[in-house]
Amino acid sequence: MVPMTTEDVHEYINGVCFKTGPPGKVGAETEWLVTDPGQPTAPVTIDRLTGLLEACGPPPAGSRITFEPGGQIELSSAALPGPARAHEALARDLDHISKTLADAGLRLSETALDPVRPPVRQLRLPRYTAMERFFANHRHPSGHTMMCSTASLQVCLDTGADDADLRSRWELVHRLGPVLVAAFANSAVWRGRPTGWKSTRWAIWAATDATRTRPVLEPHTRTDPATAWTEYALAARVMAVPEIPGGGGEWTADPGISLADWADGRGPRPLTLADLEFHLSTLFPPVRPRGWWELRMIDALPLRWWPVPVALAAALTDDPRARAVAEEATERMCRGTAPEPVLWLDSARLGPAAPEVDACARTCFDAAVEALPRMGAAGLAALVDEYADRYVRRGLCPADSGPDTGHGSGSQGTAGGGARVPEPRPARPGTGPGPAADEGSGARPAHSGGSS
C-alpha cells in the first residue's frame, strides 16, 4: 500500500469534496433528542429505540436512521430535486418514527440542547471512545456535551455547476452562516437554567477544539476552497489512529500529531486513504464540503418548523433572483468579506436581534418566500413566511419561547445564576494544533454513529 502524501491529500479533497455538476438537489439530516415524559431526567436507551424502530419497519421514503453517541436519533434523507421533494420525503419518514415513539410513550424533543439531563454516552464504538478521550486530553469537557446532548439540523446542497459557481456558492453559504445561526437559534436553556445564549449548542461546538470547528473560510482571505479545506484538514490534530486502516484492531486516541505530520511520515504508520476519510469525518466546521455543502450551524427545531431552514437555504442558493438578493445582503452584513468571529458570536448569543444580522435576515426570508413558488414549493413558501412573521420579523427565534424543562425554567435572561457556558475562542487563521478553548448511515436503525 503506497502511503499518502500532502499532495495526495490535496488531490483527493479537490476531486471528491469539491465535485461540480448541475445544482438543484437538496437533502437534510435531522437530529433529535428523545425523551420519556414519565422519566424526564433519565436517558432513553438506544436498545429501546432500536427495538421500536425495527418493529415498525423502515421509513417509507427511504431516509437513513442512525444514532449519535448520546442516543440522539438522526434521520437523513436522500438528495432529491428541489426543497419540496426533500421536504415531502423527510416529513413522511419523521411522521413514521414520531408516531412509533409516541405510541411507546416517547417524544422527539423540540430543542437543540438537552435542557435537563446530563450527557451520557451510550454508543461504545471505538470512534466515540477515542473522540471522548481526545477531548478529555485537551481539556475540552464541552466535547462530551457536544457528543451526547446536542442536536442539529443539517442542510445539504450541491456545490455548483462549475469552479466559478462553486466558489461563489462557497462564499455565499459561509456568509449566510450567521443568519442561519441566529434565525433558528433554539437552545437557550442548559442544566435547567437559561444560559444567556440563544444558541448554546453553537457556543458549545465552537468551544470544542477550534482547530476542527472554526469556519474554513476566514475573513480577508482569497484562498481557493479546495486549498483552504486541505490546509484546514492538514493543520487539525489527528483524533485517533486505528491499528488497521479502516477501523480494525486497537485504537490509539490523540497520537499528538496533525494530519500534516502524519502525511510527512511522523505518524505511527503510513497514512492511508481510509485514515484521511476518517480524519475528515472528525472535522466539524459550520460548512463542511463533502462533494456537497453540508450546512452544520443550524439548531434542531420544533417539528413544525424543521422544513424552514431547508427551504430557506435551498431558495437562497438555487433560485437566481433570490441568490442575487442574498449575495448583496450578506456582503453588506459582512462588509465584503467572510463573517468575522464576532459576528458568529453575536448571532449565537443574540439571535435575530443581533444588530448586524437583523436586516439581512429579514431580506433573506423575504427573498426566499418570493422564490419558493418559482421552485415548485408554494406550500413551503407559506411556512417560511409564517415562521418569519412569528420570529424573524420580530427579532425573535425559537429560543425566545423556551423549552419545557420540567423545572419551570424559561429562556429569558440569566437571573438566578445562568448555566455556565464554555466561551468560544475561534482559532486564528493559519494556526495549527495548539491550545484551544477550555470550558469556564441504510434505513434500518443500527448501533452506528451519525455525522458527529
Side-chain angles (χ1 to χ4, degrees), residues 91-173:
R92 286 180 64 200
D93 291 345
L94 273 170
D95 287 345
H96 178 73
I97 67 168
S98 297
K99 182 180 185 304
T100 297
L101 296 177
D103 288 346
L106 304 177
R107 69 181 184 187
L108 299 176
S109 180
E110 298 199 326
T111 182
L113 174 65
D114 200 306
V116 175
R117 298 177 298 184
V120 175
R121 183 165 68 93
Q122 298 193 46
L123 283 182
R124 294 295 162 184
L125 298 175
R127 166 190 175 94
Y128 294 120
T129 300
M131 185 180 293
E132 192 171 59
R133 190 173 305 158
F134 175 90
F135 291 137
N137 287 354
H138 291 278
R139 296 181 300 160
H140 293 305
S142 56
H144 184 59
T145 302
M146 173 271 285
M147 293 168 62
C148 302
S149 295
T150 65
S152 70
L153 188 153
Q154 298 163 25
V155 182
C156 300
L157 303 168
D158 285 324
T159 59
D162 52 33
D163 288 345
D165 187 38
L166 179 149
R167 181 160 192 156
S168 176
R169 290 162 71 95
W170 169 254
E171 293 174 356
L172 173 60
V173 292

